[in-house]
Amino acid sequence: MKAMTLQSFGGPASFALRDVPTPVPHAGQVLVRVHATSINPLDYQIRRGDYSDLVPLPAITGHDVSGVVEAVGPGVTAFSPGDAVWYTPQIFDGPGSYAEYHVAAESIVGKKPASLSHLEAASLTLVGGTAWEALVVRAALRVGESILVHGGAGGVGHVAIQLAKAMGARVFTTVRAANFEFARRMGADVAIDYENEDYVDAILRETGGRGVDVVFDTIGGDTLSRSPDALAQLGRVVSIVDIAQPQNLVQAWGKNASYHFVFTRQNRGKLDELSALVDRGQLRPHVGAVYSLADIALAHARLETPNNGVQGKIAIAVVPLAD
Ligand SMILES: NC(=O)c1ccc[n+]([C@@H]2O[C@H](COP(=O)([O-])OP(=O)(O)OC[C@H]3O[C@@H](n4cnc5c(N)ncnc54)[C@H](OP(=O)(O)O)[C@@H]3O)[C@@H](O)[C@H]2O)c1
């Protein structure tokens, strides 16, 4: 099979398209013909060597699969050849999805929502699973509460806005002014221009000085350290980004705040819950750009560029005419 392999840690030119053996499904595993995958910041963080201790080279990376089951290993009961499926490969545990075929444990694989194309489905598994873990499992967002979603035009952010709306929350989000219309279309009640307005001032103004119940930090640095300033009493902060600097939590103490740090975990249950929201029309990933498997280096370079004009996700058509 063809696979985009990472030959060394470094820039986008570190990738090479190679012929490699097609994997074989063992007990409890499915072999999937990958129709589409997508790009996540984790992919370029791995590529440039941020996790070099965890990724032996050469490596196949990639963290989203939408495709069709080609074969099943002994003992597989949930899937048969021909089933359309979606999942996030186990992170830091074996080859990823930048390839024509992928093998995964059936326990982390879900049935693809029929109403999503492969490109759309591959744009939801990692970011959707992360937003689910953050808002549903950890923040336990409740109907009528308020949430600030940072980075609302990005992969995780645009899904988190939709999820928070589906959970009955009032949603604030930080985006560039050029993405106001997109953020509102995703369901945001209030969009804050992070380049030209202080988001803490905006939150306090919009909430009459109270602050929001939940801050979802998808950016890191300033957005994490200033979260308590935007938070209501007994509020929750959920962060999915590395903590680059030691944090002073004095303000958080004053707010009786709870902090949650999320590193997304894989399981079928989350995918099935996301699928139910998709089927009800409450959640749909936005594919902002599509590249081919051969052009993954270009896709990486684009995702890494600030203000790259992409709304939502960059998807990769592995089958050339993937829908
Ligand atoms: N822990 C986990 O399990 C997990 C899972 C998924 C993702 N992540 C992490 O979460 C982060 C976001 O992932 P993603 O997939 O959403 O990335 P993404 O698709 O690149 O989106 C990031 C968004 O943030 C915007 N942005 C940049 N600076 C901002 C600021 N100061 N305020 C508000 N928005 C800002 C960017 O837009 P413009 O630059 O165009 O304005 C872009 O729309 C990454 O660091 C990723 O590694 C962690």
Side-chain angles (χ1 to χ4, degrees), residues 41 45 130 151 153-156 174 176 194 218-219 240-241 262-264 307:
Q45 291 157 6
T130 304
V156 176
T174 52
R176 289 175 193 274
Y194 77 81
T218 68
I219 306 297
I240 59 169
V241 286
V262 168
F263 183 70
T264 188
N307 196 13

Side-chain angles (χ1 to χ4, degrees), residues 29 45 110 114 123 148 205 311:
Q29 294 182 325
Q45 291 157 6
S123 297
L148 168 61
R205 185 186 67 235
Q311 295 175 323

Side-chain angles (χ1 to χ4, degrees), residues 98-303:
Y98 291 179
E100 290 178 317
Y101 291 90
H102 186 263
V103 154
E106 68 167 334
S107 57
I108 64 166
V109 174
K111 292 251 166 76
K112 178 179 89 67
S115 61
L116 293 187
S117 67
H118 283 296
L119 290 170
E120 289 173 315
S123 297
L124 187 56
T125 68
L126 182 95
V127 296
T130 304
W132 185 274
E133 181 114 14
L135 271 52
V136 178
V137 181
R138 308 295 288 281
L141 187 62
R142 291 189 292 271
V143 173
E145 287 193 319
S146 53
I147 181 170
L148 168 61
V149 175
H150 281 292
V156 176
H158 88 292
V159 167
I161 292 173
Q162 296 177 65
L163 186 54
K165 277 318 270 188
M167 295 172 80
R170 183 168 189 229
V171 181
F172 302 86
T173 191
T174 52
V175 291
R176 289 175 193 274
N179 289 323
F180 270 17
E181 198 276 327
F182 175 73
R184 294 203 177 101
R185 204 155 20 97
M186 294 302 107
D189 296 288
V190 179
I192 301 163
D193 173 3
Y194 77 81
E195 287 188 299
N196 295 307
E197 185 169 20
D198 184 276
Y199 64 85
V200 172
D201 289 348
I203 290 292
L204 295 179
R205 185 186 67 235
E206 292 287 336
T207 60
R210 175 184 180 274
V212 288
D213 298 295
V214 175
V215 173
F216 183 30
D217 179 26
T218 68
I219 306 297
D222 172 79
T223 51
L224 183 60
S225 57
R226 296 187 70 214
S227 284
D229 300 336
L231 209 57
Q233 273 290 329
L234 294 167
R236 290 90 80 200
V237 176
V238 188
S239 178
I240 59 169
V241 286
D242 289 346
I243 307 162
Q245 301 290 332
Q247 300 285 312
N248 181 341
L249 295 176
V250 170
Q251 304 284 45
W253 178 77
K255 289 285 174 72
N256 281 289
S258 307
Y259 276 66
H260 301 269
F261 297 97
V262 168
F263 183 70
T264 188
R265 299 170 291 175
Q266 282 62 64
N267 61 65
R268 186 186 304 149
K270 267 193 306 194
L271 293 171
D272 289 348
E273 305 275 16
L274 291 168
S275 198
L277 287 182
V278 168
D279 287 345
R280 268 189 246 135
Q282 291 177 291
L283 179 61
R284 191 160 200 106
H286 180 82
V287 179
V290 179
Y291 290 81
S292 67
L293 183 64
D295 282 338
I296 273 181
L298 295 178
H300 268 232
R302 182 141 183 221
L303 187 64

